[in-house]
Amino acid sequence: MDLVFHAREGAVHTNGQNVSISITGREPIVLPVSCVQRMDLSAPQHDGFGEVALTVPASPANPTGIIVFTVDPQQYSEATTFAQALQTVKARTAGAYGPAANAPRGTIPSVPAASTRSVAWWVPVVSAVAALAVGAALGWGITQLHANNTLRRFIASKDAEIEKLDTSVNSLKQQLESALQREDQQQDETDSGASDNTEGKPNEDVSNGGITMKLLEFGEKPTINFDSCGEGCSNGQFAPKNPDADTKFWVVTVEVTNNTKKPLDITCGYPYEIVALNSDNQQYTPIDELYDVEGNPECNADLQPGTKTKVTYPFQVPLHAKMIGIAFRDVGDFVGGTPGQDNYAVIITDNNYHVS
Protein backbone atom coordinates (compact mmCIF):
# COMPACT_ATOMS: atom_id res chain seq x y z
CA MET A 1 0.00 0.00 0.00
CA ASP A 2 1.34 3.42 -0.97
CA LEU A 3 -0.70 6.42 0.22
CA VAL A 4 -0.07 10.11 0.83
CA PHE A 5 -2.01 13.20 1.89
CA HIS A 6 -0.82 16.75 1.35
CA ALA A 7 -1.18 19.64 3.77
CA ARG A 8 -0.23 23.31 3.62
CA GLU A 9 2.94 22.70 5.68
CA GLY A 10 4.05 19.46 4.03
CA ALA A 11 2.87 15.91 3.41
CA VAL A 12 2.49 12.55 5.21
CA HIS A 13 3.26 9.35 3.31
CA THR A 14 3.02 5.64 4.19
CA ASN A 15 4.08 2.50 2.33
CA GLY A 16 2.22 0.18 4.73
CA GLN A 17 5.19 -0.31 7.04
CA ASN A 18 6.63 3.13 7.72
CA VAL A 19 5.19 6.64 7.92
CA SER A 20 7.23 9.55 6.50
CA ILE A 21 6.28 12.96 7.89
CA SER A 22 7.64 15.78 5.68
CA ILE A 23 7.56 19.34 6.97
CA THR A 24 8.58 22.10 4.59
CA GLY A 25 12.16 23.20 5.26
CA ARG A 26 12.96 20.30 7.59
CA GLU A 27 14.29 16.78 7.25
CA PRO A 28 11.49 14.14 6.97
CA ILE A 29 10.62 12.14 10.09
CA VAL A 30 10.34 8.39 9.34
CA LEU A 31 8.56 6.16 11.92
CA PRO A 32 7.10 2.65 11.93
CA VAL A 33 3.32 2.62 11.40
CA SER A 34 2.82 1.44 14.96
CA CYS A 35 4.48 4.61 16.31
CA VAL A 36 1.70 6.82 15.03
CA GLN A 37 -0.29 6.72 18.29
CA ARG A 38 -3.16 8.94 17.22
CA MET A 39 -4.49 10.88 14.19
CA ASP A 40 -7.17 13.50 14.85
CA LEU A 41 -8.96 15.46 12.12
CA SER A 42 -10.87 18.74 12.29
CA ALA A 43 -12.86 19.57 9.12
CA PRO A 44 -12.62 23.02 7.46
CA GLN A 45 -15.43 25.40 8.44
CA HIS A 46 -16.96 28.22 6.37
CA ASP A 47 -14.40 28.01 3.54
CA GLY A 48 -11.55 28.11 6.09
CA PHE A 49 -8.88 25.51 6.88
CA GLY A 50 -9.15 22.33 8.90
CA GLU A 51 -6.44 20.67 10.95
CA VAL A 52 -4.84 17.24 11.14
CA ALA A 53 -2.87 16.30 14.26
CA LEU A 54 -0.52 13.33 14.37
CA THR A 55 0.48 12.08 17.82
CA VAL A 56 3.85 10.35 17.74
CA PRO A 57 6.34 9.46 20.51
CA ALA A 58 7.58 12.53 22.40
CA SER A 59 11.12 13.71 21.81
CA PRO A 60 13.31 16.54 23.12
CA ALA A 61 12.53 18.51 19.96
CA ASN A 62 8.78 17.82 20.32
CA PRO A 63 7.89 17.25 23.99
CA THR A 64 4.14 16.86 23.32
CA GLY A 65 4.63 14.50 20.39
CA ILE A 66 1.87 16.38 18.48
CA ILE A 67 2.48 17.52 14.88
CA VAL A 68 -0.21 19.77 13.43
CA PHE A 69 -0.98 20.35 9.73
CA THR A 70 -3.59 22.66 8.21
CA VAL A 71 -5.66 21.41 5.27
CA ASP A 72 -8.19 22.78 2.82
CA PRO A 73 -11.33 20.77 1.88
CA GLN A 74 -9.54 18.70 -0.78
CA GLN A 75 -6.58 17.97 1.48
CA TYR A 76 -8.96 17.10 4.30
CA SER A 77 -10.57 14.49 2.05
CA GLU A 78 -7.11 13.02 1.34
CA ALA A 79 -6.32 13.03 5.06
CA THR A 80 -9.58 11.20 5.86
CA THR A 81 -8.73 8.47 3.35
CA PHE A 82 -5.20 8.30 4.74
CA ALA A 83 -6.51 7.90 8.34
CA GLN A 84 -8.85 5.08 7.33
CA ALA A 85 -6.05 3.24 5.49
CA LEU A 86 -3.64 3.74 8.38
CA GLN A 87 -6.26 2.33 10.78
CA THR A 88 -6.56 -0.80 8.63
CA VAL A 89 -2.78 -1.27 8.50
CA LYS A 90 -2.39 -0.88 12.25
CA ALA A 91 -5.23 -3.34 12.90
CA ARG A 92 -3.33 -5.93 10.91
CA THR A 93 0.12 -5.24 12.34
CA ALA A 94 -0.24 -3.92 15.87
CA GLY A 95 -3.72 -4.60 17.11
CA ALA A 96 -6.51 -2.12 17.43
CA TYR A 97 -5.85 1.35 16.04
CA GLY A 98 -6.19 3.96 18.75
CA PRO A 99 -4.24 5.96 21.28
CA ALA A 100 -1.55 4.31 23.32
CA ALA A 101 -1.84 4.34 27.07
CA ASN A 102 0.25 7.49 27.34
CA ALA A 103 -1.18 9.29 24.28
CA PRO A 104 -2.78 12.62 25.10
CA ARG A 105 -6.50 13.05 24.41
CA GLY A 106 -8.72 16.00 23.81
CA THR A 107 -9.19 18.54 21.03
CA ILE A 108 -6.51 19.54 18.60
CA PRO A 109 -4.54 22.46 20.00
CA SER A 110 -5.06 25.69 18.13
CA VAL A 111 -1.34 26.50 18.44
CA PRO A 112 1.10 23.63 17.67
CA ALA A 113 3.93 22.67 19.96
CA ALA A 114 7.25 24.46 19.87
CA SER A 115 8.75 21.92 17.49
CA THR A 116 6.03 22.51 14.89
CA ARG A 117 5.19 26.17 15.57
CA SER A 118 7.40 27.23 12.67
CA VAL A 119 5.13 25.48 10.15
CA ALA A 120 2.22 27.82 10.98
CA TRP A 121 3.95 30.82 9.36
CA TRP A 122 0.76 31.65 7.49
CA VAL A 123 -1.12 32.68 10.65
CA PRO A 124 0.53 36.10 11.17
CA VAL A 125 0.63 36.64 7.43
CA VAL A 126 -3.10 36.04 7.10
CA SER A 127 -3.78 38.29 10.10
CA ALA A 128 -1.70 41.10 8.61
CA VAL A 129 -3.38 40.76 5.24
CA ALA A 130 -6.81 40.76 6.88
CA ALA A 131 -5.96 43.92 8.85
CA LEU A 132 -4.75 45.63 5.69
CA ALA A 133 -7.88 44.57 3.85
CA VAL A 134 -10.16 45.94 6.58
CA GLY A 135 -8.25 49.23 6.62
CA ALA A 136 -8.35 49.51 2.86
CA ALA A 137 -12.06 48.73 2.83
CA LEU A 138 -12.79 51.45 5.39
CA GLY A 139 -10.67 53.96 3.48
CA TRP A 140 -12.30 53.02 0.19
CA GLY A 141 -15.77 53.34 1.74
CA ILE A 142 -15.05 56.86 3.02
CA THR A 143 -13.56 57.85 -0.33
CA GLN A 144 -16.53 56.43 -2.22
CA LEU A 145 -18.97 58.28 0.02
CA HIS A 146 -17.23 61.57 -0.72
CA ALA A 147 -16.93 60.71 -4.40
CA ASN A 148 -20.62 59.82 -4.65
CA ASN A 149 -21.64 63.18 -3.17
CA THR A 150 -19.33 64.99 -5.58
CA LEU A 151 -20.63 62.91 -8.48
CA ARG A 152 -24.26 63.70 -7.61
CA ARG A 153 -23.52 67.43 -7.64
CA PHE A 154 -21.66 67.10 -10.93
CA ILE A 155 -24.49 65.10 -12.55
CA ALA A 156 -27.06 67.64 -11.37
CA SER A 157 -25.10 70.49 -12.96
CA LYS A 158 -24.65 68.53 -16.20
CA ASP A 159 -28.36 67.68 -16.30
CA ALA A 160 -29.11 71.40 -16.27
CA GLU A 161 -26.62 71.99 -19.07
CA ILE A 162 -28.06 69.10 -21.10
CA GLU A 163 -31.56 70.48 -20.66
CA LYS A 164 -30.38 73.84 -22.05
CA LEU A 165 -28.57 72.06 -24.87
CA ASP A 166 -31.68 70.04 -25.75
CA THR A 167 -33.62 73.29 -26.00
CA SER A 168 -30.98 74.74 -28.33
CA VAL A 169 -30.85 71.58 -30.44
CA ASN A 170 -34.64 71.50 -30.79
CA SER A 171 -34.61 75.12 -31.88
CA LEU A 172 -31.87 74.38 -34.40
CA LYS A 173 -33.78 71.36 -35.73
CA GLN A 174 -36.87 73.48 -36.26
CA GLN A 175 -34.86 76.12 -38.12
CA LEU A 176 -33.20 73.43 -40.28
CA GLU A 177 -36.53 71.79 -41.12
CA SER A 178 -37.98 75.15 -42.11
CA ALA A 179 -34.97 75.87 -44.32
CA LEU A 180 -35.22 72.46 -45.99
CA GLN A 181 -38.92 72.96 -46.64
CA ARG A 182 -38.23 76.35 -48.25
CA GLU A 183 -35.43 74.84 -50.35
CA ASP A 184 -37.67 71.98 -51.50
CA GLN A 185 -40.34 74.47 -52.52
CA GLN A 186 -37.80 76.57 -54.43
CA GLN A 187 -36.36 73.45 -56.06
CA ASP A 188 -39.82 72.32 -57.14
CA GLU A 189 -40.45 75.77 -58.61
CA THR A 190 -37.12 75.95 -60.51
CA ASP A 191 -36.76 72.32 -61.60
CA SER A 192 -39.94 72.33 -63.72
CA GLY A 193 -39.30 68.76 -64.86
CA ALA A 194 -35.53 69.09 -65.34
CA SER A 195 -34.90 65.79 -63.51
CA ASP A 196 -36.86 63.86 -66.14
CA ASN A 197 -35.06 62.25 -69.06
CA THR A 198 -34.56 64.83 -71.79
CA GLU A 199 -33.73 63.53 -75.23
CA GLY A 200 -32.21 65.59 -78.04
CA LYS A 201 -30.24 65.38 -81.25
CA PRO A 202 -26.85 66.75 -82.35
CA ASN A 203 -26.64 70.57 -82.55
CA GLU A 204 -29.60 70.93 -80.16
CA ASP A 205 -29.37 72.41 -76.67
CA VAL A 206 -30.26 69.74 -74.11
CA SER A 207 -30.44 70.58 -70.39
CA ASN A 208 -30.24 68.60 -67.19
CA GLY A 209 -30.33 70.55 -63.93
CA GLY A 210 -27.88 73.43 -64.28
CA ILE A 211 -25.99 71.90 -67.24
CA THR A 212 -26.82 72.59 -70.88
CA MET A 213 -24.99 70.60 -73.55
CA LYS A 214 -24.89 70.72 -77.36
CA LEU A 215 -23.28 67.87 -79.32
CA LEU A 216 -21.13 69.43 -82.08
CA GLU A 217 -19.08 66.49 -83.45
CA PHE A 218 -18.97 62.71 -82.96
CA GLY A 219 -17.49 59.59 -84.55
CA GLU A 220 -14.69 57.02 -84.53
CA LYS A 221 -11.06 58.15 -84.74
CA PRO A 222 -7.93 55.99 -85.12
CA THR A 223 -5.94 58.26 -82.76
CA ILE A 224 -6.35 61.34 -80.60
CA ASN A 225 -3.93 64.22 -80.12
CA PHE A 226 -2.62 63.82 -76.57
CA ASP A 227 0.00 65.75 -74.59
CA SER A 228 3.35 64.03 -75.21
CA CYS A 229 4.62 64.70 -71.67
CA GLY A 230 2.71 61.66 -70.40
CA GLU A 231 0.25 61.03 -67.62
CA GLY A 232 0.09 63.62 -64.84
CA CYS A 233 2.05 66.36 -66.64
CA SER A 234 1.76 68.76 -69.57
CA ASN A 235 4.27 70.45 -71.89
CA GLY A 236 1.96 71.81 -74.62
CA GLN A 237 3.38 69.39 -77.19
CA PHE A 238 0.87 66.94 -78.68
CA ALA A 239 1.31 63.61 -80.43
CA PRO A 240 -1.05 60.90 -81.70
CA LYS A 241 -2.25 58.48 -79.02
CA ASN A 242 -3.44 55.01 -80.08
CA PRO A 243 -6.23 53.06 -78.37
CA ASP A 244 -5.48 49.84 -76.51
CA ALA A 245 -5.59 46.50 -78.32
CA ASP A 246 -9.06 45.34 -79.44
CA THR A 247 -10.53 48.79 -78.74
CA LYS A 248 -11.24 51.99 -80.68
CA PHE A 249 -11.74 55.67 -79.90
CA TRP A 250 -15.25 57.09 -80.22
CA VAL A 251 -14.87 60.82 -79.76
CA VAL A 252 -17.47 63.55 -79.15
CA THR A 253 -17.02 67.31 -78.95
CA VAL A 254 -19.67 69.20 -77.01
CA GLU A 255 -20.44 72.76 -76.05
CA VAL A 256 -21.13 72.99 -72.31
CA THR A 257 -22.98 75.91 -70.69
CA ASN A 258 -22.77 76.42 -66.92
CA ASN A 259 -26.21 77.47 -65.64
CA THR A 260 -25.40 76.61 -62.02
CA LYS A 261 -24.55 79.12 -59.30
CA LYS A 262 -20.85 78.22 -59.00
CA PRO A 263 -17.80 77.79 -61.28
CA LEU A 264 -17.17 74.31 -62.69
CA ASP A 265 -13.78 72.60 -63.13
CA ILE A 266 -14.51 70.71 -66.35
CA THR A 267 -11.39 68.57 -66.83
CA CYS A 268 -10.06 68.06 -63.27
CA GLY A 269 -13.30 68.12 -61.30
CA TYR A 270 -16.56 66.21 -61.43
CA PRO A 271 -19.03 68.92 -62.51
CA TYR A 272 -21.41 66.49 -64.19
CA GLU A 273 -21.55 62.85 -65.19
CA ILE A 274 -21.18 62.00 -68.87
CA VAL A 275 -21.21 58.55 -70.52
CA ALA A 276 -21.31 57.13 -74.04
CA LEU A 277 -24.08 54.67 -74.99
CA ASN A 278 -23.97 51.71 -77.37
CA SER A 279 -26.83 49.88 -79.07
CA ASP A 280 -27.11 47.48 -76.09
CA ASN A 281 -27.55 50.47 -73.73
CA GLN A 282 -24.12 49.80 -72.19
CA GLN A 283 -22.33 52.82 -70.73
CA TYR A 284 -18.70 53.94 -71.18
CA THR A 285 -16.83 56.66 -69.28
CA PRO A 286 -14.29 59.05 -70.88
CA ILE A 287 -10.55 58.41 -70.73
CA ASP A 288 -8.48 59.90 -67.89
CA GLU A 289 -6.44 63.14 -68.05
CA LEU A 290 -8.98 65.02 -70.21
CA TYR A 291 -6.83 68.15 -69.80
CA ASP A 292 -4.12 66.41 -71.91
CA VAL A 293 -6.45 66.16 -74.92
CA GLU A 294 -5.61 68.87 -77.44
CA GLY A 295 -8.09 71.76 -77.34
CA ASN A 296 -9.58 70.93 -73.94
CA PRO A 297 -9.67 73.39 -71.00
CA GLU A 298 -6.67 73.19 -68.71
CA CYS A 299 -6.87 71.62 -65.26
CA ASN A 300 -8.58 73.95 -62.75
CA ALA A 301 -9.66 76.35 -65.54
CA ASP A 302 -13.07 77.02 -64.02
CA LEU A 303 -16.08 77.56 -66.26
CA GLN A 304 -17.87 80.50 -64.67
CA PRO A 305 -21.69 80.60 -64.27
CA GLY A 306 -23.46 81.77 -67.44
CA THR A 307 -20.48 80.97 -69.72
CA LYS A 308 -19.81 78.12 -72.16
CA THR A 309 -16.83 76.18 -73.51
CA LYS A 310 -15.99 73.34 -75.90
CA VAL A 311 -14.85 70.00 -74.50
CA THR A 312 -13.69 66.88 -76.36
CA TYR A 313 -14.49 63.53 -74.73
CA PRO A 314 -12.65 60.46 -76.11
CA PHE A 315 -14.29 57.15 -75.15
CA GLN A 316 -12.32 53.89 -75.51
CA VAL A 317 -14.84 51.21 -76.54
CA PRO A 318 -14.71 47.65 -77.94
CA LEU A 319 -14.07 47.30 -81.67
CA HIS A 320 -17.50 45.75 -82.31
CA ALA A 321 -19.46 48.33 -80.27
CA LYS A 322 -22.10 50.35 -82.18
CA MET A 323 -22.28 53.75 -80.49
CA ILE A 324 -25.58 55.61 -80.58
CA GLY A 325 -25.17 58.69 -78.36
CA ILE A 326 -24.25 60.22 -75.00
CA ALA A 327 -26.02 60.77 -71.69
CA PHE A 328 -25.26 63.30 -68.96
CA ARG A 329 -26.65 64.55 -65.66
CA ASP A 330 -25.99 67.37 -63.22
CA VAL A 331 -24.51 65.82 -60.06
CA GLY A 332 -25.24 68.95 -57.98
CA ASP A 333 -23.10 70.55 -55.31
CA PHE A 334 -23.02 68.54 -52.09
CA VAL A 335 -21.07 71.20 -50.18
CA GLY A 336 -23.33 74.01 -51.35
CA GLY A 337 -26.47 71.99 -50.69
CA THR A 338 -27.65 71.89 -54.35
CA PRO A 339 -29.16 68.45 -55.06
CA GLY A 340 -28.17 66.51 -58.15
CA GLN A 341 -30.49 65.10 -60.82
CA ASP A 342 -31.74 61.53 -60.56
CA ASN A 343 -32.12 60.92 -64.30
CA TYR A 344 -30.02 61.53 -67.41
CA ALA A 345 -30.49 63.76 -70.40
CA VAL A 346 -29.53 61.97 -73.65
CA ILE A 347 -28.39 63.08 -77.08
CA ILE A 348 -28.99 60.42 -79.77
CA THR A 349 -26.61 60.24 -82.74
CA ASP A 350 -28.40 57.41 -84.57
CA ASN A 351 -32.02 58.06 -85.59
CA ASN A 352 -32.74 54.32 -85.51
CA TYR A 353 -32.43 54.22 -81.70
CA HIS A 354 -34.33 55.71 -78.80
CA VAL A 355 -33.36 55.64 -75.12
CA SER A 356 -36.23 55.23 -72.66
Side-chain angles (χ1 to χ4, degrees):
M1 180 190 70
D2 194 29
L3 196 66
V4 63
F5 87 84
H6 300 84
R8 289 177 59 83
E9 295 83 4
V12 181
H13 171 263
T14 181
N15 58 7
Q17 296 180 346
N18 298 320
V19 174
S20 175
I21 303 171
S22 300
I23 300 174
T24 303
R26 298 178 59 183
E27 291 292 330
I29 301 172
V30 181
L31 300 170
V33 170
S34 59
C35 287
V36 179
Q37 302 170 0
R38 187 178 183 88
M39 184 171 178
D40 295 311
L41 294 89
S42 175
Q45 300 293 328
H46 306 295
D47 297 327
F49 291 97
E51 291 183 330
V52 175
L54 294 178
T55 302
V56 298
S59 66
N62 185 11
T64 64
I66 300 175
I67 303 175
V68 179
F69 295 91
T70 55
V71 293
D72 60 24
Q74 181 177 355
Q75 296 166 340
Y76 179 77
S77 177
E78 294 179 359
T80 302
T81 303
F82 186 92
Q84 294 173 349
L86 191 63
Q87 181 178 2
T88 302
V89 170
K90 288 180 65 67
R92 294 174 180 171
T93 60
Y97 175 64
N102 61 343
R105 292 179 175 271
T107 59
I108 298 174
S110 58
V111 179
S115 60
T116 60
R117 197 168 290 172
S118 60
V119 301
W121 54 269
W122 54 271
V123 175
V125 174
V126 171
S127 300
V129 171
L132 288 174
V134 171
L138 288 174
W140 181 84
I142 294 172
T143 302
Q144 285 297 106
L145 184 61
H146 176 71
N148 286 340
N149 291 333
T150 303
L151 183 60
R152 289 193 187 96
R153 291 195 297 270
F154 175 77
I155 292 174
S157 65
K158 291 304 175 183
D159 284 343
E161 293 179 9
I162 291 172
E163 185 175 355
K164 294 179 181 179
L165 182 60
D166 286 342
T167 303
S168 300
V169 171
N170 290 333
S171 176
L172 181 61
K173 286 171 61 179
Q174 292 174 358
Q175 296 177 30
L176 182 58
E177 289 173 357
S178 299
L180 291 175
Q181 290 175 359
R182 289 195 300 270
E183 184 178 351
D184 290 341
Q185 291 173 358
Q186 294 173 358
Q187 186 66 32
D188 292 340
E189 294 172 358
T190 57
D191 277 353
S192 52
S195 63
D196 295 333
N197 276 356
T198 302
E199 185 175 319
K201 296 180 180 180
N203 297 310
E204 293 180 352
D205 285 333
V206 179
S207 296
N208 182 269
I211 305 298
T212 298
M213 191 172 292
K214 181 189 292 186
L215 178 57
L216 303 177
E217 298 178 7
F218 63 91
E220 297 179 8
K221 291 188 177 182
T223 61
I224 58 173
N225 287 334
F226 205 75
D227 196 298
S228 60
C229 182
E231 295 184 1
C233 69
S234 177
N235 59 13
Q237 303 296 321
F238 298 93
K241 177 181 176 67
N242 296 314
D244 295 337
D246 299 324
T247 66
K248 60 184 178 182
F249 283 131
W250 192 72
V251 184
V252 301
T253 300
V254 298
E255 181 185 78
V256 179
T257 302
N258 178 10
N259 294 320
T260 69
K261 298 180 180 180
K262 291 187 176 182
L264 301 177
D265 185 354
I266 300 296
T267 55
C268 281
Y270 189 61
Y272 47 80
E273 183 178 359
I274 182 169
V275 294
L277 305 174
N278 69 4
S279 56
D280 294 325
N281 202 28
Q282 294 175 314
Q283 301 179 2
Y284 300 89
T285 56
I287 65 171
D288 295 332
E289 284 87 36
L290 290 172
Y291 51 84
D292 282 337
V293 177
E294 185 175 16
N296 271 357
E298 295 180 358
C299 186
N300 298 326
D302 289 338
L303 180 64
Q304 301 299 321
T307 62
K308 62 181 67 175
T309 188
K310 289 183 180 180
V311 189
T312 296
Y313 288 100
F315 297 91
Q316 191 166 232
V317 300
L319 288 173
H320 65 273
K322 179 176 177 56
M323 309 308 295
I324 65 165
I326 61 172
F328 68 95
R329 71 180 183 92
D330 184 355
V331 296
D333 180 12
F334 176 77
V335 176
T338 303
Q341 302 301 307
D342 295 329
N343 300 318
Y344 290 88
V346 296
I347 301 177
I348 302 300
T349 60
D350 191 323
N351 293 330
N352 296 319
Y353 290 89
H354 172 77
V355 178
S356 59

